[in-house]
Amino acid sequence: MTSGAGRFHDLVPRVLSALGLAVIGGAAIWAGGWWFLLAITICVALMVWELHQILTPATERRFGAVLAGLAGVGVFLTGVLPAAYVLPVALLPSIFALWLLRSDRTQFAAFAALIVLAGFGMQHMRVDFGAIWLLWLLLVVIVTDIGGYFAGRLIGGPKFWPRVSPKKTWSGTIAGWVAAVAVGAVFMAITGAGPELLALSVALSMASQLGDISESALKRRAGVKDSSNLLPGHGGLMDRFDGMLGAAVMLLLVERVVVFPPVVGG
């Protein structure tokens, strides 16, 4: 039987990493404007660079900075120009990867597009809906991860997908949904939003988990533990923001087909 200390051996680094990112991210969200756009641009560029590091042999990594730079420029321009003009530029890393890379081209193209669209989605959320709704999105992702972590270790039970992510359990997965509902309920009280917000919170929680498991599958296929060592002892940005990628893209799609923010009686 695993001891209590053993089950939570990685708790301290996870908490320290989360707190550091929360402070930086929270300050960028609060500041908005150019500060937030710059933060999103840097994160997107670094995550595309990490993706290149994961999928490309060490001897063939000369294009990583180019592809990362293209991704960063694409996201930055979404804050300057109308999206219709920028999206072709934002997808250039995926297109160029099909030409430049020798292996895992489709995986890189798909994930790079996901990263860029997530960055665009977060910029769109901050500008069009304000800091409060971006904070809601962020908290849904965070509590999904926290709920899954503690429930998975305290309750355990059947594994979700043991071949790809041995630590993830069904109890942790469901706990993440419950935690997301709690966040939705708090924001209903704060904003006066309708009960649809609870369902949206669960949907984004699920999308967050899909982003997490997808990155785990990518890393397992590549035979690496972390996306990079940009955060010493804690892995890379993709390891910390994989859930946000899925949730941000999901919301970008959903808010086009449902009323958002949901209104009472809407």
Side-chain angles (χ1 to χ4, degrees), residues 4-24:
R7 280 183 288 183
F8 299 103
H9 68 281
D10 58 343
L11 179 59
V12 172
R14 286 174 69 99
V15 169
L16 292 176
S17 175
L19 286 175
L21 292 173
V23 170
I24 297 172

Side-chain angles (χ1 to χ4, degrees), residues 14 35 54 63 67 81 97 110 156 162 166 197 212 264:
R14 286 174 69 99
W35 289 109
I54 292 173
F63 298 118
L67 296 171
L81 301 173
L197 188 62
D212 187 1
V264 175

Side-chain angles (χ1 to χ4, degrees), residues 235-246:
L237 288 179
M238 279 186 69
D239 299 320
R240 303 280 72 85
F241 293 142
D242 49 7
M244 183 61 72
L245 297 180

Side-chain angles (χ1 to χ4, degrees), residues 97-112:
L98 299 177
W99 172 48
L100 295 173
L101 303 185
R102 296 183 180 180
S103 60
D104 294 314
R105 301 177 189 184
T106 55
Q107 288 89 340
F108 182 94
F111 268 86

Side-chain angles (χ1 to χ4, degrees), residues 8-113:
F8 299 103
H9 68 281
D10 58 343
L11 179 59
V12 172
R14 286 174 69 99
V15 169
L16 292 176
S17 175
L19 286 175
L21 292 173
V23 170
I24 297 172
I29 291 172
W30 181 261
W34 292 106
W35 289 109
F36 183 72
L37 179 60
L38 181 61
I40 290 297
T41 298
I42 292 172
C43 285
V44 165
L46 288 175
M47 283 191 283
V48 169
W49 175 81
E50 288 179 339
L51 178 65
H52 186 264
Q53 296 292 105
I54 292 173
L55 294 176
T56 309
T59 56
E60 301 176 9
R61 292 178 178 170
R62 60 188 180 279
F63 298 118
V66 173
L67 296 171
L70 285 172
V73 168
V75 170
F76 183 82
L77 289 177
T78 63
V80 180
L81 301 173
Y85 295 104
V86 177
L87 287 177
V89 179
L91 293 175
L92 278 180
S94 297
I95 298 300
F96 271 82
L98 299 177
W99 172 48
L100 295 173
L101 303 185
R102 296 183 180 180
S103 60
D104 294 314
R105 301 177 189 184
T106 55
Q107 288 89 340
F108 182 94
F111 268 86

